[in-house]
């Protein structure tokens, strides 16, 4: 089965070459790499156009900075694989785990797989306690609304059958994508699995960007897409 890997990128000059190389070396025979640059201003875009575009299958250049959600939406539209996975452009998630991530879909047991940073025996970097609490509260609230039992709603590693993800209209431009897609997938009554993944979290000094305002936005999106929408 062919895997499409969609990488949303915004100002990731220090990690973009390394992540593209790790994705190219990931142990999946049949794969397609799609880069979506979200109007980077730190030199990432020049590097993509001069060098990295020759190392991947598709490169999409957004005409302004819309956010991760819209970058993914653009990437999904161009995907041709049987399965689509999201890969952040930092080094927090390990592409060597693609085979485990997609196995339930390959075996036709699942339509969607979430990689949980809070399960599994692999290494997990110990970072911010209050981020952990924030993630747990958002997952709890999302689960209460969806009635599905996830341990990590906000994880980047989400894999989907391509026909499923392409049939969902993504409306949230930024990080509201994660609760939105979780609500919409849950309403479809498709088969959702979780597997434990490793997590090599970064600190704010190392480039971490997400903050408490993104958490508040996520609460709003959980309510909006679960309670105020019929599908
Ligand atoms: N922050 C941010 N990331 C974007 C944007 N558009 C695309 N991205 C990409 O979306 C992915 C996730 O962003 P991150 O900033 O790593 O978000 P995160 O992993 O939830 O949080 P941290 O890594 O802790 O900052 C990365 O590959 C970014 O390059 C944007 O407008 N802002
Ligand atoms: Mg990150």
């Amino acid at each position: 089965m062919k895997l499409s890997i969609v990488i949303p990128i915004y100002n990731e000059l220090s990690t973009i070459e390394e992540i593209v190389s790790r994705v190219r070396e990931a142990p999946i025979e049949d794969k397609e790499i799609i880069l979506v640059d979200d109007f980077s201003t730190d030199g990432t875009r020049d590097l993509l156009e001069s060098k990295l575009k020759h190392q991947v299958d598709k490169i999409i250049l957004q005409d302004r900075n819309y956010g991760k959600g819209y970058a993914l939406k653009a990437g999904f539209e161009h995907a041709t694989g049987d399965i689509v996975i999201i890969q952040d452009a930092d080094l927090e998630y390990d592409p060597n785990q693609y085979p485990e991530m997609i196995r339930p879909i390959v075996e036709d047991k699942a339509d969607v797989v979430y990689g949980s940073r809070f399960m599994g025996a692999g290494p997990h970097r110990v970072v911010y306690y209050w981020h952990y609490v924030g993630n747990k509260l958002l997952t709890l609230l999302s689960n209460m609304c969806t009635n599905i039992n996830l341990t990590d709603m906000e994880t980047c590693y989400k894999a989907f059958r391509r026909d499923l993800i392409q049939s969902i209209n993504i409306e949230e431009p930024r990080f509201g994508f994660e609760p939105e897609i979780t609500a919409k997938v849950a309403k479809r009554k498709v088969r959702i699995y979780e597997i434990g993944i490793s997590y090599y979290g970064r600190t704010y000094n190392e480039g971490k960007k997400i903050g408490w305002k993104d958490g508040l936005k996520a609460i709003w999106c959980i309510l909006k897409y679960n309670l105020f929408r019929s599908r």
Side-chain angles (χ1 to χ4, degrees):
M1 276 186 153
K2 181 170 163 183
L3 177 65
S4 298
I5 300 136
V6 177
I7 312 185
I9 307 158
Y10 180 60
N11 289 351
E12 302 283 11
L13 192 58
S14 60
T15 54
I16 186 65
E17 281 196 272
E18 176 64 21
I19 195 64
V20 168
S21 125
R22 288 189 196 179
V23 171
R24 280 166 50 117
E25 282 159 24
I28 298 278
E29 282 277 304
D30 195 5
K31 60 179 177 282
E32 161 186 75
I33 306 175
I34 302 173
L35 304 183
V36 189
D37 181 57
D38 198 20
F39 210 73
S40 293
T41 52
D42 67 343
T44 301
R45 183 164 284 206
D46 301 332
L47 187 63
L48 294 178
E49 289 187 294
S50 59
K51 187 172 172 192
L52 297 179
K53 75 171 180 202
H54 306 295
Q55 301 180 8
V56 300
D57 298 281
K58 280 174 201 153
I59 167 161
I60 300 163
L61 302 174
Q62 299 285 69
D63 60 3
R64 66 178 178 85
N65 175 247
Y66 292 98
K68 180 178 178 178
Y70 277 3
L72 291 174
K73 185 181 171 106
F76 296 155
E77 279 166 13
H78 287 80
T80 62
D82 305 287
I83 304 172
V84 179
I85 192 166
I86 303 164
Q87 172 70 56
D88 279 357
D90 50 30
L91 303 175
E92 299 188 310
Y93 297 81
D94 181 2
N96 284 313
Q97 295 193 297
Y98 292 163
E100 297 147 66
M101 275 295 301
I102 66 172
R103 187 171 301 126
I105 304 180
V106 172
E107 291 176 354
D108 196 24
K109 294 192 174 86
D111 304 299
V112 180
V113 180
Y114 277 38
S116 172
R117 295 167 290 176
F118 304 120
M119 285 169 55
H124 296 88
R125 180 169 176 185
V126 175
V127 268
Y128 301 105
Y129 171 70
W130 289 109
H131 279 246
Y132 165 82
V133 173
N135 269 311
K136 280 292 174 195
L137 287 174
L138 293 175
T139 299
L140 175 76
L141 184 63
S142 173
N143 287 346
M144 288 168 73
C145 295
T146 57
N147 193 25
I148 59 170
N149 188 21
L150 292 172
T151 64
D152 189 6
M153 183 273 291
E154 290 279 355
T155 179
C156 153
Y157 264 10
K158 296 180 168 80
F160 308 89
R161 268 191 8 243
R162 175 175 58 88
D163 57 335
L164 173 67
I165 192 65
Q166 288 183 336
S167 74
I168 294 176
N169 179 31
I170 294 160
E171 297 164 70
E172 284 300 314
R174 295 190 176 272
F175 292 120
F177 164 80
E178 315 290 357
E180 179 193 1
I181 201 70
T182 304
K184 290 184 174 177
V185 160
K187 282 184 205 264
R188 293 285 181 100
K189 308 276 183 235
V190 294
R191 299 165 299 171
I192 305 167
Y193 274 65
E194 240 186 6
I195 69 143
I197 54 159
S198 294
Y199 181 58
Y200 305 88
R202 57 180 175 175
T203 63
Y204 283 100
N205 281 337
E206 291 162 353
K208 185 172 191 65
K209 302 181 203 91
I210 206 135
W212 61 272
K213 285 187 191 151
D214 298 302
L216 291 185
K217 188 73 203 286
I219 295 177
W220 164 241
C221 289
I222 292 171
L223 300 176
K224 175 175 169 188
Y225 291 102
N226 284 291
L227 304 185
F228 309 147
R229 291 288 176 89
S230 57
R231 59 188 296 270

